[in-house]
Amino acid sequence: MMLTKRLRTIADLIDSCDVVADIGTDHAYLPITLIEEQKANFAYAVDVNKEPLEWAKKNIKQYNCQNKIQTVLSNGLDFILNEQIKEIDVVTICGLGSTTILEIIKKDIHKVKKYAICSNTDVSNIREWVFEKKYSVVFEDYIIDAQKGYWVIVIEKNGLNLLTKKDIKFGNAKFFINNKEIISFYKKEIIKLEKILNNLNQEKHAETFNEINRKIVEIRNYLNEIKQDS
């Protein structure tokens, strides 16, 4: 099965584990791949809508994974409250916006050990949640898939790699050293902000003007951190 780049990225981040739950599974391509590649012994393919779950069931049957993947109609993590479900080694959430993802993981319970997330919007709000929970961000990436940008973030609960306040806005620079995609993204952001400045009357909109200038300086400082010679 050929996965999209974003799903392949998440699949490659998962080591051998017992149970995975894929939230917003759609056609169940990710859990099928994890079972086929023996990265997981069992998977829950979870979606809030019935139609994608019907497609998921067909695909699971086609790949003969019926005994190892269970489809679940559930709003996010609600199904995990079932007493019959014990531990989930990894919860995967792919292709949703960070606001929606945050609403899902806010229902976090002790049964979940780890999150592997791929969001189509900036994940600073998720980092803020990680900071507040005293969890760990053990990996981040920024990738381009089908001409769209995606933020990848892996969260563990061991508290060994705590975020700092500085990390929340952009992420720890160590994860993005020489990442051409995110460097390009932030350069474009600077261009957008500079265009806004050019159309502002500095005297009439001094507060907004200064705020945008501050953002530009922050982004340039971050780019200096992550742009290093290979």
Side-chain angles (χ1 to χ4, degrees), residues 33-111:
T33 298
L34 295 175
I35 294 297
E36 289 236 302
E37 295 181 358
Q38 298 182 345
K39 289 173 173 283
N41 295 324
F42 187 83
Y44 294 101
V46 185
D47 210 288
V48 70
N49 297 309
K50 291 181 179 179
E51 187 176 344
L53 279 184
E54 290 303 314
W55 282 107
K57 288 175 184 177
K58 291 176 182 177
N59 290 330
I60 291 164
K61 184 176 181 181
Q62 180 183 344
Y63 285 89
N64 198 28
C65 293
Q66 302 97 308
N67 295 330
K68 293 192 173 182
I69 301 177
Q70 178 181 334
T71 57
V72 181
L73 183 66
S74 172
N75 183 10
L77 299 175
D78 289 354
F79 79 103
I80 301 179
L81 295 173
N82 187 325
E83 291 181 1
Q84 293 181 344
I85 296 175
K86 304 305 179 185
E87 284 191 336
I88 307 288
D89 294 294
V90 187
V91 165
T92 59
I93 312 173
C94 302
L96 301 175
S98 60
T99 301
T100 303
I101 292 171
L102 185 58
E103 288 305 308
I104 293 170
I105 63 177
K106 275 183 176 178
K107 294 183 179 180
D108 168 67
I109 60 174
H110 68 280
K111 292 181 183 180

Side-chain angles (χ1 to χ4, degrees), residues 195-211:
K195 283 182 179 178
I196 295 171
L197 281 184
N198 291 336
N199 292 320
L200 275 181
N201 183 310
Q202 186 173 358
E203 291 183 2
K204 289 184 179 179
H205 306 282
E207 188 175 338
T208 302
F209 193 93
N210 292 333
E211 175 64 17

Side-chain angles (χ1 to χ4, degrees), residues 85-217:
I85 296 175
K86 304 305 179 185
E87 284 191 336
I88 307 288
D89 294 294
V90 187
V91 165
T92 59
I93 312 173
C94 302
L96 301 175
S98 60
T99 301
T100 303
I101 292 171
L102 185 58
E103 288 305 308
I104 293 170
I105 63 177
K106 275 183 176 178
K107 294 183 179 180
D108 168 67
I109 60 174
H110 68 280
K111 292 181 183 180
V112 179
K113 292 183 180 178
K114 180 177 178 179
Y115 294 95
I117 292 167
C118 181
S119 171
N120 56 25
T121 58
D122 172 75
V123 294
S124 55
N125 54 349
I126 293 175
R127 294 191 198 104
E128 180 76 43
W129 177 81
V130 173
F131 178 84
E132 290 170 358
K133 298 286 285 185
K134 293 183 169 58
Y135 290 165
S136 302
V137 172
V138 297
F139 179 82
E140 283 203 55
D141 199 1
Y142 178 80
I143 62 172
I144 302 295
D145 185 11
Q147 299 182 325
K148 293 182 180 179
Y150 292 88
W151 282 260
V152 175
I153 182 168
V154 179
I155 301 162
E156 293 185 357
K157 299 184 177 182
N158 54 28
L160 297 176
N161 187 22
L162 295 178
L163 279 169
T164 67
K165 275 286 185 184
K166 181 184 174 184
D167 295 332
I168 290 171
K169 186 170 287 187
F170 298 107
N172 192 313
K174 70 181 181 182
F175 295 123
F176 298 103
I177 299 299
N178 293 327
N179 182 318
K180 293 178 182 178
E181 284 80 11
I182 205 161
I183 289 169
S184 175
F185 170 81
Y186 281 127
K187 283 182 176 179
K188 289 175 183 176
E189 286 296 298
I190 290 173
I191 291 170
K192 288 178 188 176
L193 292 170
E194 286 176 337
K195 283 182 179 178
I196 295 171
L197 281 184
N198 291 336
N199 292 320
L200 275 181
N201 183 310
Q202 186 173 358
E203 291 183 2
K204 289 184 179 179
H205 306 282
E207 188 175 338
T208 302
F209 193 93
N210 292 333
E211 175 64 17
I212 292 172
N213 254 326
R214 185 187 61 78
K215 287 181 180 178
I216 291 172
V217 170

